[in-house]
Amino acid sequence: MRIFTTLMGSACLLTSALAGPMVHHIEYVTPRAGQRGTTVEVTIEGAFIKEARELLFYRPGIRCIELKSLPSLPQPRSTIHGGFIEDSVLAKIQIDADCPLGLHPFKLRTATELTTLSTFAVTRFPIVKEAQEDQPVPMNSAVLGRMDTKQVGDVDAYLVTGRKGEHLSVEVDSVWLTEKFYAGSEFDLTTRILDASGKELVRNDDSAIHLQDPVLSTILPADGEYRVEVKQRIYTSGGNGYYLAHIGSNHRPLAIYPAGGMKGEKLAATLLGDPAGDDAIQITLPAQPGDFAFNDTMPSPLMMRVSEFPNVLEAKEADETTVSSLPAALNGRIEAANDADSFRVKAKAGDRWRVRVFARSFGTPLDPRLTIRKADAETDEVTADDSTLPDRDLWAMSRQIQRKELMDPAVIWEPKSDGDYLINITDMRGLGDPTSVYRIEVEPVRDEINTFIQARVIDMVECPRLTSIAVPQGGRWTVNVNLVDAPGSRYKGELDLVVHGLPQGVRMIAPRLLAGQRQVPVQFIADAGTRPQTALISITCKATDGTPLLSRSQQSFPFLGHSGGHAWHSFVVNDYAFAVTEPTPYQIDVEQPSIPLSQNGELTLPVKITRKPGFDEAIEHQFDWVPSGVEGEPTLTIAAGKNEGTLRLSASQSATPGTYPLAMTASTTGGSYYLGAGRIRASSAFIDITIAQPYIALKSNPAAVRRGEKAQVVWDVEHKKPFEGEATATLLGLPKGVTVINTPKLKSGDKHLTFEISASPESLLGQYKELSCEITVTERNQQIRQRTGKAILRVDPALQQAALK
């Protein structure tokens, strides 16, 4: 499983609430970090977590070995946007000696929920807590500090003793470390190193490798004590800004060249950007292609790529580098201002290549511009500055989440003719730097359709009621799964979804996706005897006609954003968190309709609640997914003590005929109505809804009536399918003062439908263009309502009034 992190400032059906309190299960994790090979006691604070049962980590090497709920606060402590802290949990976390460094996302399973996501950091250095001004700390320490944003000019200083000629390297994780959903520049820090006399040796505010978080390193000029200062870059009183400052004697290269190679090979590479100079190394690459994090003694890694095709290195002294064949990975550096590199490749018309640049995604300062042109042409066939593709392998990302990977161009290249082509790369600002490393992967386009789970709510904040998977014992959970086609993918046929990693006793029901359909409700069912537990699962696509298809899962979680703004930091994971929870105290069932839902019609569905003894709360219910062209009623409530209700569906003329599976979602009414924290949720079984053509279609010529007189509105009837008995008709859209005298009936085969109308002396004059009819057909003891027709009615003055005029 790959996990991507970043810094920087498909839709699911919404309920009637446009916005609401941002109540997250987890608000604070203290301490925020622990050292490899240790066991750490961590306090998790938030809301609705007092019945904590289990901690689920997404990455290996870390686990919770003990979990204990602490007493709730006597009064909730407010956070932001309606959030609050009331409960806390003490977790004992065991970290393996070889646990991957960096952030480890996790969720908490409670008795009835799977919480919002938070993170815990793992470092190679021992943890030291900030305790005083000018605090002495050992070399190779990770200091957990806090920037007091209510104190103007707060500066945290740490004193460390070093020897002449050794490194002093500092990495401050702040934006990178935060688990806040809303915050500001209190996390934007700057750092500098000073000698004993107060002379500044080096400083850093923003870094290419970590963006807003500072990274700096120097070679100490003498034995002695040195001062490391951490302070806020821009003053804000927004709250406490926590950070983790790694202070060590490790080297700190800023890039590696080449930044990747073939899977399984021993790669000769050079570390770049360290104050001691470049360093040649050998790296054995993993056997699996994809992203690779290289690390030796550093607090954070250098990102690389592993491919299934060979490297081509730029020929430094030549104007062009010849590439013998494609696919290939093209590697080089833009080392000086206005530097430009070209690679000559052979291509044929009809070839389809995916060309991706990796530069900013590696944390290098290069802002790449990619062009491709025929070698003997004067104009480019392809020009790209930023990513023009919808995924960059990040298809679950919202436009409200910014990532440095999206600054690297990626294109689908289809050569227009046979011949030699030049793939060119420059810095779009005309800049250059010895650490401006790039890698261009050119590989054939393959059919690929991926799944993601994401809900469109305000600021893309995680919404457990729409994106979580927490199946109650003996119950059901339904979630909307979205699909996205990878750039260049041409498969347009039907798809089946396949689940991987489900615990024993749980099964998934996923309807087949029709050609072009890109969202579907997926239901999970847990047997009554399935034990409560957590797991990581994935859902992939399979072509029903056997076409080879690549497919992966993904889910994104934004942090550190503003209302209406962009998140600075986000997590993207390639597995879905899954839980079996304890049984719900109720069950919801919706009756399978025996009649279809007509286009331009309505259908009423009876709902039943079965309560366990002692449970008497109100229950909300709604459809979280309906087919295109169909609308469900907003959330309705079955009152406390009641067991029955109804919910209506309506279909527009654009609804596509066919049969669709629908499931109703229910929840208790406590907790957060918007994000869903604190509610007990369950799902009904799937029912089949058939959308059909309407029974009739009506047309009418314009009609007129005078004040004080009677007239007729006559509709021509087109029968589209037969019905039994008589249908009733209601004329809609009449102006004030005009009423219907008769109540006409309609039988199958009738060619006309006539309404007798009467206009009072005070009826409103004018032309009214929105007359229509509601037809009610009774079939199998259920009423089907259909709206049809569009007519014009003119209300004229009475004859006497007209004569006076």
Side-chain angles (χ1 to χ4, degrees), residues 11-34:
C12 290
L13 188 71
L14 295 180
T15 66
S16 57
L18 294 178
M22 299 296 186
V23 181
H24 306 286
H25 293 97
I26 300 175
E27 293 283 1
Y28 284 96
V29 176
T30 310
R32 290 288 297 123

Side-chain angles (χ1 to χ4, degrees), residues 274-537:
D274 186 84
D278 296 347
D279 186 17
I281 60 169
Q282 297 279 331
I283 305 173
T284 300
L285 297 178
Q288 294 298 320
D291 295 324
F292 170 59
F294 166 75
N295 206 335
D296 48 13
T297 62
M298 303 172 289
S300 63
L302 295 170
M303 295 307 300
M304 303 177 67
R305 290 281 296 174
V306 178
S307 303
E308 296 179 326
F309 35 83
N311 272 355
V312 176
L313 305 184
E314 65 166 319
K316 285 186 172 295
E317 305 305 322
D319 292 335
E320 300 173 1
T321 300
T322 300
V323 179
S324 60
S325 63
L326 295 178
L330 319 179
N331 299 268
R333 291 191 283 168
I334 303 298
E335 299 183 59
N338 300 313
D339 189 9
D341 290 349
S342 292
F343 294 84
R344 181 180 285 263
V345 301
K346 292 186 179 295
K348 296 180 179 180
D351 287 348
R352 303 179 71 238
W353 300 102
R354 182 167 70 160
V355 184
R356 294 189 293 173
V357 178
F358 297 86
R360 291 306 298 269
S361 49
F362 290 155
T364 82
L366 179 64
D367 196 353
R369 169 175 287 152
L370 173 76
T371 63
I372 304 175
R373 64 179 173 87
K374 197 78 179 290
D376 56 359
E378 296 183 0
T379 58
D380 297 323
E381 282 190 13
V382 174
T383 301
D385 296 328
D386 296 327
S387 177
T388 58
L389 301 185
D391 68 342
R392 280 293 312 187
D393 282 339
L394 300 171
W395 56 88
M397 302 299 294
S398 160
R399 295 297 181 185
Q400 288 180 273
I401 300 176
Q402 295 189 14
R403 295 179 66 100
K404 59 185 179 180
E405 290 94 330
L406 299 178
M407 300 178 71
D408 286 340
V411 298
I412 299 298
W413 172 41
E414 301 183 34
K416 295 180 180 178
S417 59
D418 296 357
D420 285 4
Y421 285 80
L422 296 178
I423 299 177
N424 307 306
I425 186 167
T426 60
D427 187 294
M428 63 180 297
R429 304 157 300 178
L431 303 178
D433 183 276
T435 63
S436 287
V437 172
Y438 64 83
R439 179 177 174 88
I440 307 173
E441 293 187 354
V442 186
E443 58 183 324
V445 177
R446 292 184 284 184
D447 286 327
E448 180 177 347
I449 302 177
N450 301 302
T451 75
F452 68 98
I453 297 176
Q454 187 66 66
R456 286 184 179 174
V457 297
I458 297 291
D459 301 327
M460 296 306 298
V461 171
E462 183 185 0
C463 180
R465 69 180 174 88
L466 294 175
T467 62
S468 182
I469 309 176
V471 190
Q473 285 178 299
R476 300 175 174 86
W477 186 280
T478 304
V479 66
N480 293 333
V481 174
N482 303 279
L483 274 63
V484 61
D485 297 60
S489 180
R490 287 180 168 175
Y491 180 78
K492 302 301 180 186
E494 294 185 343
L495 296 164
D496 286 330
L497 296 183
V498 181
V499 65
H500 311 271
L502 274 184
Q504 188 174 359
V506 182
R507 63 189 184 279
M508 182 182 83
I509 299 176
R512 175 164 289 182
L513 286 99
L514 304 178
Q517 185 181 357
R518 289 300 176 261
Q519 188 184 69
V520 68
V522 171
Q523 188 166 102
F524 296 90
I525 304 171
D527 295 340
T530 307
R531 66 176 178 84
Q533 60 190 292
T534 60
L536 295 174
I537 68 170

Side-chain angles (χ1 to χ4, degrees), residues 165-170 193 201-202 215-220 249-254 271-279 435:
E166 76 175 348
H167 283 79
L168 177 53
S169 301
V170 181
I193 300 174
L201 301 181
V202 63
V215 175
L216 62 163
S217 183
T218 188
I219 303 299
L220 298 181
S249 59
N250 58 279
H251 68 164
R252 181 61 265 187
L254 301 178
L271 299 174
L272 308 171
D274 186 84
D278 296 347
D279 186 17
T435 63

Side-chain angles (χ1 to χ4, degrees), residues 59 80 97 305 451 500 538 588 773 782:
R59 302 176 69 189
I80 191 171
R305 290 281 296 174
T451 75
H500 311 271
S538 62
I588 183 170
C773 280
Q782 284 190 275

